[in-house]
Amino acid sequence: MTAERTVGTRTRVLIAEDEAIIRLDLKETLTAEGYEVVADSGRGDEALALVRELRPDVAILDIKMPGNDGLAVARAISEERLCAVLVLTAFSQRELVAQAAQSGVLAYLVKPFAAGELVAAIEIALARFGEAQELKAEATDYAEQLQTRKIVERAKGLLMDNYGFREDDAFAFMRSTAMNQRRPMRAVAEDLLAGTLSVASTPADDSR
C-alpha cells in the first residue's frame, strides 16, 4: 500500500479532529507513510471551508467536532463531490456507521487504530470515491447517486463472497459488463443481485 497516486504525486490529505494530540499523531503518521497533509483543523465548519479551498484527495473527519459534526461535513463534501471521505469514530459510536453511509462516507475507522489500518482505510476511501465519480453520470441527483452506489456496493459484496473477487476486480467486472452490454452499471448490479446475470461463464481472473 502506498500514498503515491501517480508518479511524483503524493495523496493530499486534510485532517479534521478536535483533539489536538490525536490530530498531531495523525499528521505525523500520515507524513511518515508518504502522504501530504495539506491542512488540519479542530472544527467542522473550518474543515469544510478548507476542503472547498484546497481540494484535497481525501478528508479524514472525526464525528464529534465543534462548528459542524463530521457527518454534516461529510454530507456537504459528498454532495459537492469534493473528495473522498474517511470518518474516525470511537468504538461506542459504531451505531453511527449507518448514518455515515447515508452522509456519503466511503470508509470509517474505529479508534484506536494502527498506521497500517489508517493507510488501508484511506486507500479504500480513495478507490470508492473513484468508483462513485464513474457512477455519477448514471444518476441525476444526490439521492439517486446514493441509491445507485448502495446497489453497486451490494453487488460487489455478492461477487466477493460468492465468486472470490477482490473489491476492485468486482467493480471492474461490473464496469466492463456494462460497457459490453451498453447498459448502466446499476442495471448490471441489479441483475447480479437478482441472479439473472451469470458470472460462471466469465473467464477466471488469475489476480483473484
Side-chain angles (χ1 to χ4, degrees):
M1 197 74 65
T2 176
E4 298 295 328
R5 301 180 69 220
T6 58
V7 176
T9 303
R10 292 192 299 167
T11 298
R12 302 170 68 251
V13 183
L14 179 138
I15 301 168
E17 161 65 60
D18 66 338
E19 293 189 41
I21 294 177
I22 296 177
R23 196 162 67 242
L24 179 60
D25 183 56
L26 278 168
K27 188 172 183 178
E28 291 177 347
T29 299
L30 290 167
T31 300
E33 293 291 339
Y35 294 92
E36 179 184 356
V37 179
V38 296
D40 62 271
S41 175
R43 294 181 56 88
D45 49 356
E46 292 176 355
L48 180 55
L50 285 167
V51 168
R52 286 170 172 159
E53 176 187 353
L54 300 173
R55 295 301 181 94
D57 298 306
V58 59
I60 300 176
L61 311 174
D62 189 23
I63 286 186
K64 299 297 183 183
M65 291 185 291
N68 279 328
D69 67 39
L71 297 186
V73 176
R75 183 172 181 83
I77 290 173
S78 298
E79 287 178 343
E80 297 176 37
R81 304 189 188 108
L82 299 175
C83 67
V85 177
L86 165 64
V87 158
L88 303 178
T89 174
F91 183 80
S92 61
Q93 298 170 325
R94 294 193 70 173
E95 69 277 5
L96 296 175
V97 170
Q99 295 179 38
Q102 293 292 335
S103 300
V105 172
L106 300 174
Y108 77 97
L109 197 58
V110 177
K111 300 184 235 181
F113 47 81
E117 294 172 321
L118 176 62
V119 170
I122 289 173
E123 297 304 321
I124 288 171
L126 287 167
R128 290 176 177 169
F129 181 70
E131 293 173 4
Q133 293 296 91
E134 290 190 44
L135 291 173
K136 72 180 182 181
E138 296 185 11
T140 57
D141 58 38
Y142 180 68
E144 188 179 351
Q145 290 167 27
L146 279 179
Q147 186 61 24
T148 295
R149 195 173 75 209
K150 287 179 186 177
I151 292 169
V152 170
E153 287 295 317
R154 286 174 56 203
K156 278 168 52 179
L158 181 148
L159 291 172
M160 293 164 68
D161 293 341
N162 294 357
Y163 299 98
F165 280 74
R166 295 189 310 230
E167 182 173 354
D168 53 348
D169 290 332
F171 186 82
F173 170 82
M174 285 188 285
R175 178 174 54 198
S176 63
T177 302
M179 292 175 64
N180 290 338
Q181 297 182 357
R182 299 180 183 276
R183 302 169 64 212
M185 205 179 309
R186 175 170 174 168
V188 171
E190 288 172 338
D191 283 353
L192 283 168
L193 293 170
T196 56
L197 176 62
S198 172
V199 183
S201 60
T202 303
D205 184 345
D206 293 337
S207 66
R208 297 203 296 273

